[in-house]
Amino acid sequence: MAEVDVAPTFGAELKDGFKPASAWVANGIAWLDDIQNFYRERSAIEKEHSARLNALAKKYFEKKNKKSTSLSVGDTPAMTPGSLENASLTIWTTHLTTLESIADQHEKYGNELVQKVADPLKYFAGRFEELRKRHVEYASKLEAERDSSYADLRKAKTKYDAACQEVESKRKKTESSFDKAKAQSQYQQQLHDMNNVKNTYLIAINVTNKQKEKYYHEYVPEVLDSLQDLSEFRTLKLNALWSTAASLETEMLQQSNSLVDNLAQEITRNQPHLDIMMYIRHNMGSWQEPADKAFEPSPVWHDDDLMVTDEVAKVFLRNVLNKSKGQLGELRREVDKKRREIDGVKRVKERIREGKENKDEVVIVGQIFAMQEDLHQVDRKRLTAEVETSTITSAVGDVTLGAKNHNFKSQTFKIPTNCDLCGERIWGLSAKGFDCRDCGYTCHSKCEMKVPAECPGELSKEERKKYKAERQSAAGALLKPSAGPPDHVAELPALSRSNTMNSLSSGYAASANRSISGPVVSPRSPAEDAPPEPPGPRPASTIKKARLVAPPPTAYISELPGSSVPPINKASEHKGKMLYAFDASGDGEISVPEGREVVIIEPDDGAGWVKVRAGYKEGIVPASYLEVFPAPIVPQDTGSSLNNRPASTYSNSGSSIGTAGPSVKKKGPAVAPRRGAKKLKYVVALYDYTAQADTEHSMTEGERFVLIKEDPGDGWAEVEKGGATKSVPASYVQVATD
């Protein structure tokens, strides 16, 4: 026969392992408390979940009731639906009702967990612990009996040792006693007692060993096997209760699944067109298309609704028609292309709904919407072009036949340029306009549609110059004022304006030509105020320029030995006085003695140096060595003799405030700042240029200016000459190399 595997037992394997085994069983029984607490907490969670589900359902029942009418038939239905709800709201009601039923199932499951699982676990844990304690008591009793046997054996051994000691004492007395016979008799009697005690000790050893054998091989194994049986019984009960908990949860889930399955069946009945039909049925009403817009005459200019078709208007209409006809074909093709693209994406959306493609439908719908927006913009342009074409053609016919249209392209002008149509300057931060690539016709953006279609075709450079001059001459004639006002305009008083523009420089423009409240002193001649001719094109760099001989600089040199000094407007000079002597030690510096009055050409820009003129010499000196006088106040000419009085000056230094004289209290000599004044940068005019406005400098070829601000990108640079900072075309100047 085949051997049968026997499950190991505590008694056979552990022998004297009762205490560890008892502690292990005790831990298993105590674990039942954790398990029953788990089910109690699970029950509380299920009940809380049920309460929250019910509260959620109640909350959204209330919201549904408030929005039922607006969701079913809209906010302003033609007829009220009464208590009817659309199909989607009906499904939503079923959804909320299902949620309440699921909440009831969770409530029931939570109660049964406590009644059928947690409470029995607590009961069995207590019973099992009582049985374990009885096993412990019985094991303690067996251990006490074993220890008692060991104690009895130790007592027998003690008696045997004492008897042996007494025999030896009697034997020694027989040797020294006078009555040897009596001593010998006592010795023999003690020897017999020792033998009896020995036999008793040997019997006690055999009894103790037998009891030990019984203890370790029968009594303790029996207790251990009983303890094992208790642990197995605990496991069986735990499995039964776990099975009960699982069956309860399964029942709860089956009920919930049944409710959800019923909801899923109801959802399939909600067809999208049902809501639409109900909304349409309750919102149908009479509708009338708004009337077409009609021409409304201005209240100040009574006119009819007929298009103006004179020659000037035909120029504008021809340009509009030409532009619309040129765009119409391309716009139609683009509209057809975009519609085909939208149809293709819509087919993709249908395949997604049919389950034939696995893509994000939301992304596809967003793509369709974006494409429809693009189509809408292009279609609006196409419709506008079609209506413009048909409207103009019906009014004046196809006026584009035989027209010689300009090849206009958008252009940013880097140099001052006038419009060939209206004659005005093309202004703006970037000076944008149009020019013809063939004949060079330039115009404002606003004038593009008013330019006659009379392009002579592609021209050479010389022909372009010729046509440019003719067009500018014709445009300039339009700008010339008539001899008198028209008959319907009353004569108005003459208007005047003064230059109120502030200097654009940050320290180089002297204030000698203007005062705080006085008029601006302009060094320009009356001839420069005439309408300027536009500057010619920039000549090629290979053309050799004739050298210009500058006139004697009598206006800039004074105090030359033996020369006469022209009169200088003292009121316009900004002066100062040297507090300490300064000896030049670098390029551009000037030596000036202490107390010398100087004319300030360029004030300190923060570098600690000032450019001055002392006599006929110019150079820079430390700002800390110089006392700057305030700008003199120029009195207005009132015809009185007060004008002959010299202009008063006062010092604004800290030591002379409140004093009448220009003298200042000197302090200790200041340390000259480290040489760090920026070097001046000069530019030289390449071509002649006549200023077109008060904010511009007129230039002659070879003339030098101080560069204040380079071209920031608008085609203009700021330069300084004669104390005035103004703008010049950046392409008309170049940086001086010397």
Side-chain angles (χ1 to χ4, degrees), residues 144-176:
E145 291 177 352
R146 183 202 62 183
D147 294 341
S148 176
S149 297
Y150 289 165
D152 292 341
L153 180 61
R154 286 194 296 273
K155 289 180 180 179
K157 177 65 169 58
T158 303
K159 288 182 179 181
Y160 172 68
D161 292 340
C164 291
Q165 186 67 30
E166 188 66 24
V167 168
E168 181 63 20
S169 176
K170 294 295 185 181
R171 187 188 65 78
K172 289 180 179 181
K173 285 184 178 182
T174 57
E175 294 176 357
S176 59

Side-chain angles (χ1 to χ4, degrees), residues 577-581 593-596 623-627 664-667:
K577 181 180 179 182
M578 295 297 294
L579 296 174
Y580 315 105
E594 179 184 351
R596 177 69 178 271
S624 60
Y625 278 47
L626 181 66
E627 177 188 8
V664 294
K665 181 179 179 181
K666 292 186 178 180
K667 298 182 180 179

Side-chain angles (χ1 to χ4, degrees), residues 43-55 99 102-103 106:
S43 173
I45 291 173
E46 293 294 333
K47 291 180 179 180
E48 181 182 359
H49 181 56
S50 173
R52 298 186 69 174
L53 290 180
N54 279 320
L99 186 62
I102 293 175
H106 282 278

Side-chain angles (χ1 to χ4, degrees), residues 113 168 186 431 712 720:
L113 279 180
E168 181 63 20
Q186 290 178 348
E720 186 267 335

Side-chain angles (χ1 to χ4, degrees), residues 628-646:
V628 180
F629 296 157
I633 301 176
V634 180
Q636 297 182 358
D637 186 5
T638 59
S640 65
S641 60
L642 294 176
N643 291 336
N644 300 324
R645 296 175 59 187

Side-chain angles (χ1 to χ4, degrees), residues 400-568:
T400 60
L401 299 176
K404 299 178 181 179
N405 298 306
H406 288 277
N407 184 16
F408 278 133
K409 297 294 182 183
S410 180
Q411 176 71 21
T412 299
F413 299 102
K414 295 296 185 180
I415 63 175
T417 307
N418 290 357
C419 176
D420 288 345
L421 180 67
C422 65
E424 296 181 356
R425 177 67 60 83
I426 300 177
W427 292 107
L429 188 60
S430 57
K432 289 186 177 180
F434 289 91
D435 70 339
C436 180
R437 297 300 189 192
D438 296 333
C439 68
Y441 195 105
T442 58
C443 66
H444 291 97
S445 299
K446 63 181 180 179
C447 296
E448 178 195 7
M449 304 308 292
K450 296 183 287 185
V451 176
E454 300 172 352
C455 181
E458 190 170 354
L459 301 177
S460 63
K461 189 173 183 181
E462 291 72 14
E463 291 174 334
R464 284 195 178 194
K465 288 183 179 180
K466 176 183 177 182
Y467 275 93
K468 187 76 171 177
E470 293 176 357
R471 288 193 293 262
Q472 287 294 317
S473 177
L478 296 176
L479 296 177
K480 291 182 179 180
S482 59
D487 296 336
H488 63 280
V489 178
E491 185 174 356
L492 299 176
L495 300 178
S496 62
R497 57 184 296 182
S498 60
N499 186 0
T500 58
M501 178 178 179
N502 292 329
S503 173
L504 300 178
S505 66
S506 59
Y508 289 98
S511 59
N513 289 334
R514 62 184 67 178
S515 63
I516 298 175
S517 60
V520 176
V521 179
S522 175
R524 298 173 55 188
S525 63
E528 293 175 350
D529 294 330
E533 290 292 332
R538 182 173 179 174
S541 58
T542 58
I543 300 176
K544 184 177 181 180
K545 294 182 292 185
R547 182 178 180 183
L548 299 178
V549 179
T554 56
Y556 305 98
I557 302 176
S558 64
E559 298 187 14
L560 283 174
S563 64
S564 61
V565 181
I568 299 177

Side-chain angles (χ1 to χ4, degrees), residues 213-372:
E213 182 181 358
K214 278 285 188 179
Y215 176 80
Y216 286 107
H217 294 279
E218 184 175 347
Y219 300 149
V220 173
E222 287 179 354
V223 177
L224 287 172
D225 290 343
S226 179
L227 194 64
Q228 177 181 342
D229 183 69
L230 176 61
S231 178
E232 292 175 352
F233 182 41
R234 174 191 62 80
T235 303
L236 291 175
K237 282 297 182 182
L238 181 59
N239 290 341
L241 294 174
W242 273 345
S243 299
T244 301
S247 63
L248 292 175
E249 187 167 5
T250 301
E251 182 181 358
M252 183 268 295
L253 293 176
Q254 289 176 349
Q255 293 293 333
S256 299
N257 288 336
S258 176
L259 293 170
V260 174
D261 291 341
N262 180 60
L263 175 62
Q265 294 177 0
E266 291 294 325
I267 291 174
T268 58
R269 298 172 55 190
N270 184 27
Q271 299 299 322
H273 67 276
L274 297 177
D275 293 348
I276 304 298
M277 291 175 58
M278 183 173 182
Y279 179 81
I280 293 175
R281 187 167 58 249
H282 289 80
N283 287 273
M284 288 189 301
S286 58
W287 176 80
Q288 186 175 1
E289 184 178 357
D292 292 342
K293 302 297 181 181
F295 175 76
E296 297 180 3
S298 171
V300 298
W301 189 269
H302 301 289
D303 207 344
D304 53 24
D305 58 352
L306 299 178
M307 292 189 67
V308 180
T309 57
D310 57 18
E311 291 303 321
V312 178
K314 281 184 179 181
V315 171
F316 175 78
L317 294 176
R318 180 185 298 112
N319 290 331
V320 174
L321 180 59
N322 181 66
K323 186 175 182 180
S324 299
K325 286 177 63 178
Q327 296 176 347
L328 189 55
E330 181 64 27
L331 290 174
R332 286 173 176 170
R333 290 190 292 271
E334 189 172 358
V335 167
D336 292 339
K337 177 184 176 182
K338 289 186 177 294
R339 282 177 176 165
R340 289 193 298 270
E341 291 176 351
I342 292 174
D343 292 339
V345 180
K346 285 183 177 179
R347 287 192 293 271
V348 173
K349 184 186 73 172
E350 293 299 328
R351 289 196 296 271
I352 293 174
R353 291 190 176 181
E354 293 171 359
K356 297 180 180 179
E357 288 196 22
N358 184 19
K359 292 183 179 180
D360 190 349
E361 186 175 353
V362 176
V363 175
I364 298 299
V365 172
Q367 184 178 353
I368 293 174
F369 187 76
M371 295 173 67
Q372 287 176 339

